[in-house]
Amino acid sequence: MGKSDGSESHNLQKYGVPFYGAAWVPYSHVRSKLLSPEGINKDDNDSDGGDRNGSKDEASSAAACIYYVVLAGGGGEGRSGIPNAVVLSHFDFASNSLSDQPVAKLGTGSDLPYRMAVHPGGDGIILICYFLSLYRFFEWDEVKSAEVHKLGLKESEKVLSQLENVGQQLVLAFNSKGSILATGGEDGNLRVFKWPSMEVILNEAQAHASVKDLSFSPDGKFLVSLGNRGHGRVWDVTSSTVVASLAKEKDEIFVSCRFSPINDQNPVLYIAAITDKGGSIITWNTTSWKRTRSKQVVQEPVSSFNISSDGELLAIGMAQGDISIINSTSLKVQTMVKKAHLGIVTALALSHDSRALVSASMDSSARVTLIEDKKQSGGLNLWIIIFIILLSIAAYFMNDKGIILT
């Protein structure tokens, strides 16, 4: 880790696990669930209900200022000695630091967590385990002590039987409300379920040769799927039909897709692509499903991609370990961090308030990068420029009237 002003930087930590997945915990939702009647420990049932409701409101307000990141990965089922685990870490904005030791670390035995989806409403985490083609579901827990209550994890008793014996899955995603779950397989099979009932909505055996990425529109009406080759496809979730095809151009390889999360009349679809010149962002009109723009944004191959909850920022991770934060309107790079990691950036996610970016790598590192507020700094610079212009005008007239002697 790098050093600054003689003190060690703690926004980058290594936890001894090669990471494939990274996400911010929706802690305010998690905390609300833990404080709900169903989540309260039976040992606390003798406490006063009014006090409980008051503490719940206070805790919910405090939860908005608490940040956790969850990471998943491992060394596989071999005898490398590298564990397979889900890691929970706390991030402190004031000191710009990740906890040097995990808040919680839950081993998964010989099962390698290869992909991860965090339920947006706080239900828990679904993991895809590689090689064995297993799904494992984890719920949030609260570790209580005399001094502090810490967030934890526990394996759920919930069994996702609809996902058993379906072959290796490469991607899974919830819609924004957490009411629908989609999974994509190495065999090209696309499955969509209602959550948590796991009622089948869509089961398309030949969606692609292999499903690479999935993204729901803000209203959950559409689902975009990308394959390892060929065009992307747009699915109407209600009718379970393909409504559009997203064509590639020239040497493009589609890597990842994300809708702008803002639920307006016409959200934008962003696709990160690799070309022979590096990484590009392609935007699509979600009414006509036509391309509206394509721009090269980085010179290295894209390995991971995501978007902020307000739709204003895009984040790209690269094979050489760099990360880039991009303005979604201008598609100009706002922040570039060279060698943010020593290995390929496997996953990244922006916090719910767009203040920070968490990134993870196969070099076993996790990093949080604070987002510079360009609006505030840009506004300040503009006022400085205006002040200098006004000062120059005043000096000119004062000199012209002889007030200032030259």
Side-chain angles (χ1 to χ4, degrees), residues 4-59:
S4 176
D5 299 327
S7 61
E8 190 175 10
S9 173
H10 291 282
N11 68 327
L12 175 72
Q13 297 288 354
K14 287 197 172 184
Y15 297 115
V17 177
F19 291 123
Y20 293 92
W24 293 89
V25 177
Y27 186 64
S28 58
H29 294 293
V30 172
R31 188 75 174 125
S32 295
K33 282 185 175 291
L34 290 173
L35 289 173
S36 67
E38 294 80 6
I40 295 175
N41 192 291
K42 292 181 180 180
D43 294 339
D44 298 333
N45 284 342
D46 58 348
S47 62
D48 180 75
D51 292 341
R52 179 189 302 164
N53 291 333
S55 62
K56 180 177 178 180
D57 292 339
E58 293 173 5

Side-chain angles (χ1 to χ4, degrees), residues 288-302:
S288 64
W289 298 109
K290 301 294 185 183
R291 284 176 179 242
T292 55
R293 192 177 182 188
S294 178
K295 182 181 179 181
Q296 180 185 346
V297 290
V298 293
Q299 296 181 340
E300 300 292 337
V302 176

Side-chain angles (χ1 to χ4, degrees), residues 12-22 70-77 80-89 98 100-116 127-128 341-347 358-367:
L12 175 72
Q13 297 288 354
K14 287 197 172 184
Y15 297 115
V17 177
F19 291 123
Y20 293 92
V70 60
L71 309 144
E77 57 180 341
S80 64
I82 301 173
N84 301 309
V86 183
V87 173
L88 192 64
S89 179
L98 278 167
D100 55 358
Q101 295 296 323
V103 173
K105 186 174 182 179
L106 197 61
T108 58
S110 60
D111 302 338
L112 168 61
Y114 181 65
R115 291 290 184 267
M116 174 178 71
L127 299 177
I128 300 175
H341 300 271
L342 298 179
I344 183 172
V345 182
T346 50
V358 61
S359 54
S361 171
M362 289 185 66
D363 69 358
S364 302
S365 69
R367 178 191 182 103

Side-chain angles (χ1 to χ4, degrees), residues 228-341:
N228 62 340
R229 62 177 183 270
H231 297 175
R233 308 181 83 177
V234 183
W235 304 80
D236 185 306
V237 176
T238 303
S239 63
S240 300
T241 57
V242 177
V243 295
S245 179
L246 308 174
K248 299 189 298 181
E249 292 183 357
K250 299 178 182 178
D251 61 341
E252 290 175 344
I253 300 173
F254 289 167
V255 175
S256 184
C257 56
R258 291 292 183 271
F259 277 93
S260 171
I262 304 302
N263 193 3
D264 56 19
Q265 296 298 317
N266 192 20
V268 178
L269 172 66
Y270 298 90
I271 292 183
I274 296 175
T275 69
D276 59 355
K277 296 182 180 180
S280 297
I281 299 294
I282 307 161
T283 62
W284 304 75
N285 181 292
T286 54
T287 300
S288 64
W289 298 109
K290 301 294 185 183
R291 284 176 179 242
T292 55
R293 192 177 182 188
S294 178
K295 182 181 179 181
Q296 180 185 346
V297 290
V298 293
Q299 296 181 340
E300 300 292 337
V302 176
S303 58
S304 51
F305 177 64
N306 221 322
I307 190 169
S308 62
S309 59
D310 58 12
E312 294 185 0
L313 299 172
L314 307 173
I316 284 180
M318 285 160 269
Q320 303 301 319
D322 302 344
I323 57 175
S324 182
I325 300 168
I326 299 165
N327 182 288
S328 65
T329 302
S330 66
L331 297 185
K332 292 182 178 180
V333 174
Q334 176 172 310
T335 303
M336 170 72 80
V337 183
K338 290 285 189 180
K339 299 298 180 183
H341 300 271

